[in-house]
Structure formats: structure tokens, C-alpha cells
Amino acid sequence: MTIRPLVILPDNQLRLRSKPVETFDRALEKLVEDMFETMYDAPGIGLAAIQIGVPLRVVTMDLAPKDEPREPRIFVNPEIVSRSEAFACYEEGCLSIPDYYEDVERPDRVRVAYQDMKGARHELDADGLMATCIQHEIDHLNGVLFIDHISKLKRDRVVKKFVKQARRDGPAGAKPQHEAL
């Protein structure tokens, strides 16, 4: 397993639409192993493959509290097939936008269709943190960031901050101090 570098805002890779996984092989297993290693090291609770520079529709998640056993979950080719009409607001952060957190309103329940590591199809009904996290990560697969769900003024400020930081620091990103989606 390898900890891979995170793609950090304003890198344009974060705006790419990821391609579906078509081959379920050892290369996919290695990607997922590296994603978990990277996500746990960050630390985060969710990671889309594009966040390590791989434009494939793969998401890893683990919502287990810090002091409890890990509960790794893998979603290959996930798609939201239905959303509730009710919304919930959660404070979100992102490993690709270190140390920035903002309240985001999203549907409070979703149904997600996805494949497992062998290509078998599944559906999952999610609510609460799971619903927020899976929506956040599927957004990444579609080139959407959580800051796209906040006001233009706030979004412009955070983008400007990260553009300035990238110019100053170069391509290496800072490691976040708190767990992020």
C-alpha cells in the first residue's frame, strides 16, 4: 500500500468528470488499497479516486469513530438514483481543500446504486453523515466540489486563497489538521 499525494485546489484535475470502472482486477484492488492508506493518513472519512489524480469512478469511505474498529466501504461506479425532498445541513470539509469548513445543505436521504470490487451491483439507502459523505464524494467524481454548494462570495474567497497559496508554496499541498470528507 502506498500513501499517494492529494490533489489540492486549485488543481484543475478536481474539475474532471471521472470515467466508469470497466475492469475489476488487481489494478483496481491496488488503487483502493492506496486510497484507504491515503485517506486514513490524511485523516479523512471519504476519498474519491480523482483526489489522488486517478479519474475513475471509485470512492472509499470509513465513517467509524476514531476509537472504534475501522469500517471500510468501497463504492465503484456509484450513482445517486433518488434523493429525498427534505434537506439537512452539515459542516463539510475536504482533503483537497485543507483546513476549510463550511455548512452545506444537501438532501438528507439518498439511494445509491454502485458496484463492489467484483463488479456485483448493489443499492444502499443512506441518511445522516453517510448521505452527506456519499453525495460529497460522488460530486468529486462529477468534477463538483463542496464549495460549489456555498455562496459565490465565499467560494471566490476560498479559491482566491488557495490560488495564492499554490503560487507561494508550489504544487505540494498542506496536510489538514482535522478529519475531512
Side-chain angles (χ1 to χ4, degrees):
M1 291 190 280
T2 304
I3 297 171
R4 299 206 197 176
L6 291 165
V7 176
I8 303 296
L9 188 72
D11 193 313
N12 288 332
Q13 289 182 83
L14 294 171
R15 295 303 187 171
L16 295 176
R17 184 169 177 84
S18 297
K19 296 177 180 157
V21 171
E22 296 177 359
T23 306
F24 295 79
D25 59 4
R26 178 65 190 127
L28 178 61
E29 291 173 12
K30 172 77 170 106
L31 171 64
V32 167
E33 289 170 3
D34 290 354
M35 287 175 67
F36 274 117
E37 190 77 11
T38 303
M39 183 185 81
Y40 289 133
D41 180 69
I45 61 172
L47 186 70
I50 193 61
Q51 291 180 271
I52 58 169
V54 179
L56 287 175
R57 297 187 76 78
V58 179
V59 167
T60 56
M61 287 176 43
D62 190 336
L63 305 180
K66 281 185 185 180
D67 300 333
E68 294 185 22
R70 289 182 171 168
E71 297 176 11
R73 299 195 66 146
I74 303 161
F75 300 88
V76 180
N77 298 325
E79 297 293 337
I80 296 172
V81 294
S82 67
R83 296 172 171 82
S84 67
E85 291 185 23
F87 283 77
C89 192
Y90 280 92
E91 183 180 65
E92 293 187 29
C94 182
L95 296 176
S96 293
I97 309 174
D99 298 321
Y100 183 77
Y101 302 88
E102 195 65 57
D103 287 339
V104 176
E105 189 175 64
R106 297 182 184 269
D108 72 346
R109 290 186 318 274
V110 293
R111 175 172 285 235
V112 179
Y114 66 97
Q115 291 173 277
D116 63 23
M117 292 296 291
K118 299 199 184 305
R121 298 193 181 282
H122 302 274
E123 287 198 3
L124 168 76
D125 290 316
D127 61 8
L129 181 58
M130 172 68 84
T132 296
C133 190
I134 195 68
Q135 290 176 84
H136 177 109
E137 300 307 333
I138 290 173
D139 271 358
H140 271 300
L141 301 179
N142 296 323
V144 176
L145 303 175
F146 87 95
I147 59 173
D148 296 333
H149 296 283
I150 62 176
S151 75
K152 182 176 177 353
L153 177 64
K154 288 180 181 179
R155 182 174 51 252
D156 289 349
R157 278 191 201 148
V158 73
V159 169
K160 183 177 179 180
K161 173 186 168 189
F162 277 87
V163 166
K164 252 174 121 171
Q165 184 175 330
R167 285 186 191 134
R168 185 177 60 243
D169 299 342
K175 187 174 174 182
Q177 300 301 310
H178 303 292
E179 285 188 359
L181 297 176

